[in-house]
mmCIF file of all heavy atoms in Angstrom:
data_model
loop_
_atom_site.group_PDB
_atom_site.id
_atom_site.type_symbol
_atom_site.label_atom_id
_atom_site.label_comp_id
_atom_site.label_asym_id
_atom_site.label_seq_id
_atom_site.Cartn_x
_atom_site.Cartn_y
_atom_site.Cartn_z
ATOM 1 N N ARG A 397 11.256 -11.929 -48.377
ATOM 2 C CA ARG A 397 9.984 -11.157 -48.481
ATOM 3 C C ARG A 397 9.101 -11.506 -47.290
ATOM 4 O O ARG A 397 8.456 -10.694 -46.600
ATOM 5 C CB ARG A 397 9.325 -11.514 -49.740
ATOM 6 C CG ARG A 397 7.910 -10.749 -49.885
ATOM 7 C CD ARG A 397 8.119 -9.210 -49.727
ATOM 8 N NE ARG A 397 6.845 -8.482 -49.952
ATOM 9 C CZ ARG A 397 6.523 -7.345 -49.468
ATOM 10 N NH1 ARG A 397 7.360 -6.768 -48.635
ATOM 11 N NH2 ARG A 397 5.377 -6.797 -49.763
ATOM 12 N N ILE A 398 9.123 -12.930 -46.818
ATOM 13 C CA ILE A 398 8.280 -13.247 -45.742
ATOM 14 C C ILE A 398 8.655 -12.659 -44.533
ATOM 15 O O ILE A 398 7.918 -12.156 -43.678
ATOM 16 C CB ILE A 398 8.238 -14.794 -45.615
ATOM 17 C CG1 ILE A 398 7.566 -15.435 -46.757
ATOM 18 C CG2 ILE A 398 7.625 -15.272 -44.284
ATOM 19 C CD1 ILE A 398 7.558 -16.842 -46.945
ATOM 20 N N GLN A 399 10.030 -12.607 -44.307
ATOM 21 C CA GLN A 399 10.635 -11.882 -43.151
ATOM 22 C C GLN A 399 10.281 -10.383 -43.044
ATOM 23 O O GLN A 399 9.919 -9.969 -41.915
ATOM 24 C CB GLN A 399 12.148 -12.064 -43.127
ATOM 25 C CG GLN A 399 12.712 -13.413 -42.823
ATOM 26 C CD GLN A 399 14.176 -13.425 -42.848
ATOM 27 O OE1 GLN A 399 14.845 -12.861 -43.732
ATOM 28 N NE2 GLN A 399 14.731 -14.072 -41.815
ATOM 29 N N GLN A 400 10.144 -9.734 -44.142
ATOM 30 C CA GLN A 400 9.783 -8.330 -44.241
ATOM 31 C C GLN A 400 8.453 -8.180 -43.786
ATOM 32 O O GLN A 400 8.059 -7.306 -43.081
ATOM 33 C CB GLN A 400 9.989 -7.792 -45.614
ATOM 34 C CG GLN A 400 11.515 -7.676 -46.052
ATOM 35 C CD GLN A 400 11.626 -7.236 -47.548
ATOM 36 O OE1 GLN A 400 10.691 -7.329 -48.252
ATOM 37 N NE2 GLN A 400 12.854 -6.829 -47.985
ATOM 38 N N LEU A 401 7.513 -9.017 -44.285
ATOM 39 C CA LEU A 401 6.137 -8.981 -43.846
ATOM 40 C C LEU A 401 5.926 -9.239 -42.450
ATOM 41 O O LEU A 401 5.119 -8.566 -41.794
ATOM 42 C CB LEU A 401 5.336 -10.046 -44.801
ATOM 43 C CG LEU A 401 5.230 -9.709 -46.269
ATOM 44 C CD1 LEU A 401 4.489 -10.824 -47.051
ATOM 45 C CD2 LEU A 401 4.392 -8.381 -46.453
ATOM 46 N N LEU A 402 6.650 -10.152 -41.852
ATOM 47 C CA LEU A 402 6.560 -10.494 -40.475
ATOM 48 C C LEU A 402 7.049 -9.361 -39.651
ATOM 49 O O LEU A 402 6.370 -8.938 -38.601
ATOM 50 C CB LEU A 402 7.310 -11.754 -40.140
ATOM 51 C CG LEU A 402 6.763 -13.071 -40.692
ATOM 52 C CD1 LEU A 402 7.764 -14.191 -40.430
ATOM 53 C CD2 LEU A 402 5.493 -13.349 -39.954
ATOM 54 N N ARG A 403 8.112 -8.724 -39.998
ATOM 55 C CA ARG A 403 8.641 -7.472 -39.244
ATOM 56 C C ARG A 403 7.599 -6.337 -39.386
ATOM 57 O O ARG A 403 7.308 -5.766 -38.380
ATOM 58 C CB ARG A 403 9.913 -7.058 -39.866
ATOM 59 C CG ARG A 403 11.127 -7.872 -39.539
ATOM 60 C CD ARG A 403 12.389 -7.248 -39.850
ATOM 61 N NE ARG A 403 12.583 -6.883 -41.236
ATOM 62 C CZ ARG A 403 13.316 -7.791 -41.954
ATOM 63 N NH1 ARG A 403 13.700 -8.989 -41.524
ATOM 64 N NH2 ARG A 403 13.421 -7.532 -43.347
ATOM 65 N N ALA A 404 7.002 -6.134 -40.514
ATOM 66 C CA ALA A 404 5.859 -5.150 -40.680
ATOM 67 C C ALA A 404 4.727 -5.422 -39.837
ATOM 68 O O ALA A 404 4.187 -4.523 -39.158
ATOM 69 C CB ALA A 404 5.528 -4.991 -42.101
ATOM 70 N N GLY A 405 4.386 -6.680 -39.769
ATOM 71 C CA GLY A 405 3.210 -7.112 -38.893
ATOM 72 C C GLY A 405 3.493 -6.931 -37.345
ATOM 73 O O GLY A 405 2.559 -6.379 -36.675
ATOM 74 N N ARG A 406 4.668 -7.187 -36.927
ATOM 75 C CA ARG A 406 5.067 -6.994 -35.594
ATOM 76 C C ARG A 406 5.035 -5.389 -35.329
ATOM 77 O O ARG A 406 4.522 -5.100 -34.356
ATOM 78 C CB ARG A 406 6.454 -7.544 -35.307
ATOM 79 C CG ARG A 406 6.528 -9.020 -35.135
ATOM 80 C CD ARG A 406 7.760 -9.572 -34.405
ATOM 81 N NE ARG A 406 8.915 -9.180 -35.312
ATOM 82 C CZ ARG A 406 9.343 -10.145 -36.112
ATOM 83 N NH1 ARG A 406 8.763 -11.354 -36.386
ATOM 84 N NH2 ARG A 406 10.415 -9.749 -36.910
ATOM 85 N N ALA A 407 5.531 -4.566 -36.255
ATOM 86 C CA ALA A 407 5.586 -3.182 -35.949
ATOM 87 C C ALA A 407 4.071 -2.598 -35.805
ATOM 88 O O ALA A 407 3.847 -1.774 -35.077
ATOM 89 C CB ALA A 407 6.309 -2.522 -37.133
ATOM 90 N N LEU A 408 3.225 -3.128 -36.676
ATOM 91 C CA LEU A 408 1.745 -2.577 -36.703
ATOM 92 C C LEU A 408 1.156 -3.206 -35.381
ATOM 93 O O LEU A 408 0.418 -2.349 -34.742
ATOM 94 C CB LEU A 408 1.065 -3.336 -37.839
ATOM 95 C CG LEU A 408 -0.385 -2.898 -37.972
ATOM 96 C CD1 LEU A 408 -0.528 -1.375 -38.279
ATOM 97 C CD2 LEU A 408 -1.132 -3.483 -39.259
ATOM 98 N N ALA A 409 1.392 -4.381 -34.941
ATOM 99 C CA ALA A 409 0.868 -4.872 -33.706
ATOM 100 C C ALA A 409 1.223 -4.088 -32.479
ATOM 101 O O ALA A 409 0.561 -3.913 -31.475
ATOM 102 C CB ALA A 409 1.210 -6.304 -33.421
ATOM 103 N N LEU A 410 2.347 -3.387 -32.475
ATOM 104 C CA LEU A 410 3.018 -2.737 -31.403
ATOM 105 C C LEU A 410 2.509 -1.241 -31.451
ATOM 106 O O LEU A 410 2.761 -0.456 -30.658
ATOM 107 C CB LEU A 410 4.578 -2.733 -31.401
ATOM 108 C CG LEU A 410 5.055 -4.114 -31.040
ATOM 109 C CD1 LEU A 410 6.625 -4.047 -31.287
ATOM 110 C CD2 LEU A 410 4.723 -4.546 -29.558
ATOM 111 N N THR A 411 1.847 -0.823 -32.528
ATOM 112 C CA THR A 411 1.471 0.548 -32.722
ATOM 113 C C THR A 411 0.083 0.841 -31.957
ATOM 114 O O THR A 411 -0.907 -0.060 -32.212
ATOM 115 C CB THR A 411 1.315 0.833 -34.211
ATOM 116 O OG1 THR A 411 2.517 0.609 -34.831
ATOM 117 C CG2 THR A 411 0.944 2.412 -34.377
ATOM 118 N N THR A 412 -0.021 1.696 -31.077
ATOM 119 C CA THR A 412 -1.257 1.887 -30.357
ATOM 120 C C THR A 412 -2.250 2.690 -31.204
ATOM 121 O O THR A 412 -1.847 3.343 -32.225
ATOM 122 C CB THR A 412 -1.030 2.747 -29.130
ATOM 123 O OG1 THR A 412 -0.600 4.091 -29.506
ATOM 124 C CG2 THR A 412 0.079 2.096 -28.253
ATOM 125 N N ASP A 413 -3.545 2.633 -30.880
ATOM 126 C CA ASP A 413 -4.568 3.284 -31.636
ATOM 127 C C ASP A 413 -4.389 4.885 -31.446
ATOM 128 O O ASP A 413 -4.897 5.601 -32.188
ATOM 129 C CB ASP A 413 -6.006 2.889 -31.167
ATOM 130 C CG ASP A 413 -6.443 1.498 -31.472
ATOM 131 O OD1 ASP A 413 -5.728 1.093 -32.534
ATOM 132 O OD2 ASP A 413 -7.316 0.992 -31.026
ATOM 133 N N ARG A 414 -3.578 5.305 -30.453
ATOM 134 C CA ARG A 414 -3.382 6.779 -30.323
ATOM 135 C C ARG A 414 -2.192 7.254 -31.123
ATOM 136 O O ARG A 414 -1.897 8.385 -30.989
ATOM 137 C CB ARG A 414 -3.331 7.166 -28.828
ATOM 138 C CG ARG A 414 -4.693 7.128 -28.169
ATOM 139 C CD ARG A 414 -4.577 7.423 -26.725
ATOM 140 N NE ARG A 414 -3.957 6.343 -25.924
ATOM 141 C CZ ARG A 414 -3.800 6.348 -24.492
ATOM 142 N NH1 ARG A 414 -4.210 7.449 -23.867
ATOM 143 N NH2 ARG A 414 -3.231 5.401 -24.049
ATOM 144 N N SER A 415 -1.567 6.304 -31.774
ATOM 145 C CA SER A 415 -0.370 6.658 -32.628
ATOM 146 C C SER A 415 -0.812 7.638 -33.773
ATOM 147 O O SER A 415 -1.896 7.399 -34.254
ATOM 148 C CB SER A 415 0.249 5.365 -33.047
ATOM 149 O OG SER A 415 1.203 5.728 -34.140
ATOM 150 N N HIS A 416 0.044 8.402 -34.132
ATOM 151 C CA HIS A 416 -0.220 9.262 -35.330
ATOM 152 C C HIS A 416 0.458 8.799 -36.553
ATOM 153 O O HIS A 416 0.538 9.385 -37.542
ATOM 154 C CB HIS A 416 0.501 10.656 -35.057
ATOM 155 C CG HIS A 416 -0.132 11.402 -33.818
ATOM 156 N ND1 HIS A 416 -1.318 12.149 -33.962
ATOM 157 C CD2 HIS A 416 0.211 11.524 -32.513
ATOM 158 C CE1 HIS A 416 -1.641 12.651 -32.774
ATOM 159 N NE2 HIS A 416 -0.681 12.303 -31.941
ATOM 160 N N SER A 417 0.802 7.494 -36.506
ATOM 161 C CA SER A 417 1.566 6.863 -37.660
ATOM 162 C C SER A 417 0.457 6.332 -38.686
ATOM 163 O O SER A 417 0.389 5.134 -38.900
ATOM 164 C CB SER A 417 2.382 5.732 -37.086
ATOM 165 O OG SER A 417 3.327 5.319 -38.184
ATOM 166 N N THR A 418 -0.310 7.313 -39.265
ATOM 167 C CA THR A 418 -1.323 6.805 -40.200
ATOM 168 C C THR A 418 -0.572 6.623 -41.581
ATOM 169 O O THR A 418 0.508 7.103 -41.783
ATOM 170 C CB THR A 418 -2.295 7.946 -40.372
ATOM 171 O OG1 THR A 418 -1.709 9.157 -40.800
ATOM 172 C CG2 THR A 418 -3.010 8.263 -38.996
ATOM 173 N N VAL A 419 -1.303 6.018 -42.458
ATOM 174 C CA VAL A 419 -0.680 5.749 -43.855
ATOM 175 C C VAL A 419 -0.466 7.067 -44.485
ATOM 176 O O VAL A 419 0.599 7.327 -45.292
ATOM 177 C CB VAL A 419 -1.582 4.796 -44.731
ATOM 178 C CG1 VAL A 419 -1.201 4.999 -46.178
ATOM 179 C CG2 VAL A 419 -1.597 3.458 -44.180
ATOM 180 N N ALA A 420 -1.348 8.119 -44.264
ATOM 181 C CA ALA A 420 -1.183 9.448 -44.946
ATOM 182 C C ALA A 420 0.063 10.036 -44.415
ATOM 183 O O ALA A 420 0.770 10.612 -45.334
ATOM 184 C CB ALA A 420 -2.437 10.345 -44.646
ATOM 185 N N LEU A 421 0.323 9.932 -43.208
ATOM 186 C CA LEU A 421 1.582 10.564 -42.749
ATOM 187 C C LEU A 421 2.837 9.751 -43.197
ATOM 188 O O LEU A 421 3.851 10.401 -43.618
ATOM 189 C CB LEU A 421 1.620 10.540 -41.167
ATOM 190 C CG LEU A 421 2.799 11.157 -40.430
ATOM 191 C CD1 LEU A 421 2.993 12.606 -40.863
ATOM 192 C CD2 LEU A 421 2.649 11.037 -38.902
ATOM 193 N N LYS A 422 2.715 8.413 -43.285
ATOM 194 C CA LYS A 422 3.891 7.715 -43.803
ATOM 195 C C LYS A 422 4.158 7.995 -45.264
ATOM 196 O O LYS A 422 5.289 8.211 -45.561
ATOM 197 C CB LYS A 422 3.627 6.245 -43.561
ATOM 198 C CG LYS A 422 3.668 5.722 -42.064
ATOM 199 C CD LYS A 422 3.406 4.252 -41.985
ATOM 200 C CE LYS A 422 3.569 3.719 -40.505
ATOM 201 N NZ LYS A 422 3.327 2.217 -40.375
ATOM 202 N N PHE A 423 3.100 8.066 -45.943
ATOM 203 C CA PHE A 423 3.221 8.435 -47.349
ATOM 204 C C PHE A 423 3.882 9.811 -47.524
ATOM 205 O O PHE A 423 4.781 9.991 -48.324
ATOM 206 C CB PHE A 423 1.806 8.487 -48.091
ATOM 207 C CG PHE A 423 1.712 9.208 -49.373
ATOM 208 C CD1 PHE A 423 2.320 8.487 -50.458
ATOM 209 C CD2 PHE A 423 1.173 10.253 -49.527
ATOM 210 C CE1 PHE A 423 2.207 9.096 -51.722
ATOM 211 C CE2 PHE A 423 1.149 10.949 -50.785
ATOM 212 C CZ PHE A 423 1.602 10.280 -51.840
ATOM 213 N N GLU A 424 3.489 10.736 -46.761
ATOM 214 C CA GLU A 424 4.006 12.092 -46.771
ATOM 215 C C GLU A 424 5.612 12.003 -46.499
ATOM 216 O O GLU A 424 6.350 12.850 -47.071
ATOM 217 C CB GLU A 424 3.307 13.037 -45.740
ATOM 218 C CG GLU A 424 3.627 14.416 -45.856
ATOM 219 C CD GLU A 424 2.750 15.258 -45.076
ATOM 220 O OE1 GLU A 424 1.605 15.582 -45.393
ATOM 221 O OE2 GLU A 424 3.241 15.826 -43.967
ATOM 222 N N ARG A 425 5.859 11.318 -45.446
ATOM 223 C CA ARG A 425 7.367 11.212 -45.141
ATOM 224 C C ARG A 425 8.108 10.544 -46.093
ATOM 225 O O ARG A 425 9.298 10.849 -46.491
ATOM 226 C CB ARG A 425 7.503 10.468 -43.789
ATOM 227 C CG ARG A 425 6.937 11.317 -42.633
ATOM 228 C CD ARG A 425 7.006 10.686 -41.262
ATOM 229 N NE ARG A 425 6.631 11.707 -40.222
ATOM 230 C CZ ARG A 425 6.321 11.366 -38.974
ATOM 231 N NH1 ARG A 425 6.400 9.974 -38.627
ATOM 232 N NH2 ARG A 425 6.126 12.296 -38.083
ATOM 233 N N HIS A 426 7.567 9.500 -46.841
ATOM 234 C CA HIS A 426 8.273 8.854 -47.974
ATOM 235 C C HIS A 426 8.555 9.796 -48.991
ATOM 236 O O HIS A 426 9.608 9.827 -49.797
ATOM 237 C CB HIS A 426 7.424 7.696 -48.592
ATOM 238 C CG HIS A 426 7.610 6.382 -47.741
ATOM 239 N ND1 HIS A 426 8.895 5.756 -47.716
ATOM 240 C CD2 HIS A 426 6.791 5.596 -47.157
ATOM 241 C CE1 HIS A 426 8.709 4.687 -47.048
ATOM 242 N NE2 HIS A 426 7.439 4.489 -46.733
ATOM 243 N N ALA A 427 7.593 10.681 -49.232
ATOM 244 C CA ALA A 427 7.689 11.754 -50.404
ATOM 245 C C ALA A 427 8.745 12.754 -50.142
ATOM 246 O O ALA A 427 9.229 13.509 -51.077
ATOM 247 C CB ALA A 427 6.401 12.346 -50.478
ATOM 248 N N SER A 428 9.238 12.918 -48.942
ATOM 249 C CA SER A 428 10.318 13.865 -48.608
ATOM 250 C C SER A 428 11.510 13.343 -48.112
ATOM 251 O O SER A 428 12.524 13.915 -47.743
ATOM 252 C CB SER A 428 9.759 14.804 -47.526
ATOM 253 O OG SER A 428 9.604 14.099 -46.297
ATOM 254 N N GLY A 429 11.580 11.933 -48.209
ATOM 255 C CA GLY A 429 12.779 11.231 -47.737
ATOM 256 C C GLY A 429 13.517 10.485 -48.927
ATOM 257 O O GLY A 429 13.396 10.921 -50.076
ATOM 258 N N ALA A 430 14.181 9.423 -48.554
ATOM 259 C CA ALA A 430 15.095 8.699 -49.615
ATOM 260 C C ALA A 430 14.167 8.201 -50.838
ATOM 261 O O ALA A 430 14.748 7.881 -51.834
ATOM 262 C CB ALA A 430 15.824 7.729 -48.836
ATOM 263 N N ALA A 431 12.927 7.842 -50.435
ATOM 264 C CA ALA A 431 12.088 7.262 -51.535
ATOM 265 C C ALA A 431 11.376 8.351 -52.354
ATOM 266 O O ALA A 431 10.657 7.900 -53.329
ATOM 267 C CB ALA A 431 11.077 6.353 -50.861
ATOM 268 N N ALA A 432 11.689 9.569 -52.215
ATOM 269 C CA ALA A 432 11.048 10.594 -52.929
ATOM 270 C C ALA A 432 10.824 10.426 -54.407
ATOM 271 O O ALA A 432 9.841 10.772 -55.002
ATOM 272 C CB ALA A 432 11.516 11.940 -52.590
ATOM 273 N N ASP A 433 11.973 10.043 -55.101
ATOM 274 C CA ASP A 433 12.033 9.873 -56.506
ATOM 275 C C ASP A 433 11.827 8.442 -56.958
ATOM 276 O O ASP A 433 12.027 8.187 -58.170
ATOM 277 C CB ASP A 433 13.273 10.501 -57.005
ATOM 278 C CG ASP A 433 13.284 12.067 -56.785
ATOM 279 O OD1 ASP A 433 12.307 12.721 -57.024
ATOM 280 O OD2 ASP A 433 14.338 12.494 -56.243
ATOM 281 N N ARG A 434 11.471 7.691 -56.098
ATOM 282 C CA ARG A 434 11.106 6.161 -56.417
ATOM 283 C C ARG A 434 9.741 6.139 -57.004
ATOM 284 O O ARG A 434 8.906 6.945 -56.657
ATOM 285 C CB ARG A 434 11.353 5.336 -55.321
ATOM 286 C CG ARG A 434 12.866 5.212 -54.855
ATOM 287 C CD ARG A 434 12.848 4.280 -53.572
ATOM 288 N NE ARG A 434 14.323 4.296 -53.102
ATOM 289 C CZ ARG A 434 14.604 3.819 -51.991
ATOM 290 N NH1 ARG A 434 13.685 3.284 -51.190
ATOM 291 N NH2 ARG A 434 15.808 3.815 -51.565
ATOM 292 N N PRO A 435 9.456 5.192 -57.842
ATOM 293 C CA PRO A 435 8.028 4.993 -58.402
ATOM 294 C C PRO A 435 7.040 4.732 -57.352
ATOM 295 O O PRO A 435 7.242 3.884 -56.488
ATOM 296 C CB PRO A 435 8.169 3.727 -59.297
ATOM 297 C CG PRO A 435 9.622 3.731 -59.666
ATOM 298 C CD PRO A 435 10.389 4.122 -58.472
ATOM 299 N N PHE A 436 5.860 5.414 -57.252
ATOM 300 C CA PHE A 436 4.849 5.142 -56.364
ATOM 301 C C PHE A 436 3.666 4.585 -57.159
ATOM 302 O O PHE A 436 3.107 3.619 -56.538
ATOM 303 C CB PHE A 436 4.395 6.487 -55.690
ATOM 304 C CG PHE A 436 3.161 6.306 -54.919
ATOM 305 C CD1 PHE A 436 3.039 5.733 -53.775
ATOM 306 C CD2 PHE A 436 1.905 6.902 -55.511
ATOM 307 C CE1 PHE A 436 1.809 5.518 -53.022
ATOM 308 C CE2 PHE A 436 0.696 6.841 -54.803
ATOM 309 C CZ PHE A 436 0.648 6.041 -53.526
ATOM 310 N N LEU A 437 3.525 5.002 -58.199
ATOM 311 C CA LEU A 437 2.189 4.421 -58.967
ATOM 312 C C LEU A 437 2.588 4.390 -60.492
ATOM 313 O O LEU A 437 3.038 5.341 -61.063
ATOM 314 C CB LEU A 437 0.969 5.366 -58.883
ATOM 315 C CG LEU A 437 -0.217 5.082 -59.551
ATOM 316 C CD1 LEU A 437 -0.746 3.682 -59.018
ATOM 317 C CD2 LEU A 437 -1.305 6.188 -59.340
ATOM 318 N N LEU A 438 2.165 3.219 -61.071
ATOM 319 C CA LEU A 438 2.337 3.038 -62.557
ATOM 320 C C LEU A 438 0.849 2.821 -62.977
ATOM 321 O O LEU A 438 0.225 1.822 -62.479
ATOM 322 C CB LEU A 438 3.145 1.975 -63.021
ATOM 323 C CG LEU A 438 4.741 2.061 -62.411
ATOM 324 C CD1 LEU A 438 5.443 0.827 -62.791
ATOM 325 C CD2 LEU A 438 5.385 3.320 -63.153
ATOM 326 N N TYR A 439 0.334 3.581 -64.015
ATOM 327 C CA TYR A 439 -1.013 3.402 -64.515
ATOM 328 C C TYR A 439 -1.021 3.734 -65.907
ATOM 329 O O TYR A 439 -0.879 4.793 -66.368
ATOM 330 C CB TYR A 439 -1.935 4.342 -63.717
ATOM 331 C CG TYR A 439 -3.404 4.233 -64.062
ATOM 332 C CD1 TYR A 439 -4.155 3.196 -63.594
ATOM 333 C CD2 TYR A 439 -3.975 5.167 -65.014
ATOM 334 C CE1 TYR A 439 -5.540 3.118 -63.897
ATOM 335 C CE2 TYR A 439 -5.326 5.054 -65.308
ATOM 336 C CZ TYR A 439 -6.030 4.075 -64.789
ATOM 337 O OH TYR A 439 -7.434 3.929 -65.195
ATOM 338 N N GLY A 440 -1.084 2.626 -66.740
ATOM 339 C CA GLY A 440 -1.001 2.724 -68.170
ATOM 340 C C GLY A 440 0.332 3.367 -68.542
ATOM 341 O O GLY A 440 1.382 2.757 -68.016
ATOM 342 N N ASP A 441 0.350 4.439 -69.187
ATOM 343 C CA ASP A 441 1.661 5.098 -69.531
ATOM 344 C C ASP A 441 1.842 6.234 -68.614
ATOM 345 O O ASP A 441 2.832 6.907 -68.883
ATOM 346 C CB ASP A 441 1.519 5.538 -70.983
ATOM 347 C CG ASP A 441 0.445 6.542 -71.179
ATOM 348 O OD1 ASP A 441 -0.270 6.842 -70.323
ATOM 349 O OD2 ASP A 441 0.429 7.170 -72.335
ATOM 350 N N GLN A 442 1.210 6.204 -67.563
ATOM 351 C CA GLN A 442 1.575 7.313 -66.487
ATOM 352 C C GLN A 442 2.458 6.756 -65.378
ATOM 353 O O GLN A 442 2.236 5.659 -65.031
ATOM 354 C CB GLN A 442 0.169 7.872 -65.891
ATOM 355 C CG GLN A 442 -0.732 8.429 -66.793
ATOM 356 C CD GLN A 442 -1.999 8.966 -66.167
ATOM 357 O OE1 GLN A 442 -1.930 9.952 -65.335
ATOM 358 N NE2 GLN A 442 -3.062 8.348 -66.317
ATOM 359 N N ARG A 443 3.373 7.595 -64.905
ATOM 360 C CA ARG A 443 4.234 7.190 -63.878
ATOM 361 C C ARG A 443 4.366 8.347 -62.882
ATOM 362 O O ARG A 443 4.598 9.496 -63.221
ATOM 363 C CB ARG A 443 5.651 6.925 -64.386
ATOM 364 C CG ARG A 443 6.630 6.489 -63.442
ATOM 365 C CD ARG A 443 8.078 6.352 -64.101
ATOM 366 N NE ARG A 443 9.037 5.930 -63.247
ATOM 367 C CZ ARG A 443 9.829 6.775 -62.502
ATOM 368 N NH1 ARG A 443 9.478 8.091 -62.490
ATOM 369 N NH2 ARG A 443 10.775 6.345 -61.610
#
């Protein structure tokens, strides 16, 4: 898990401020990719 966090940190550090790689865009791409049917939010009895 530490290795994963370090890789994510390096990727963010290399991303320029003019990048379009916003969280909203990444979320949208997750929703249409392999993670589409994976849990995103659990809240009480809602999934």
Side-chain angles (χ1 to χ4, degrees):
R397 179 58 177 155
I398 291 173
Q399 287 182 315
Q400 291 173 348
L401 291 172
L402 288 173
R403 285 195 296 269
R406 284 196 294 269
L408 182 61
L410 293 172
T411 305
T412 69
D413 285 346
R414 285 179 289 182
S415 166
H416 296 275
S417 189
T418 64
V419 166
L421 181 58
K422 288 181 177 180
F423 167 72
E424 189 172 286
R425 288 176 174 170
H426 274 301
S428 61
D433 294 315
R434 294 176 184 170
F436 169 74
L437 177 65
L438 300 176
Y439 182 81
D441 59 356
Q442 299 180 69
R443 178 184 181 277

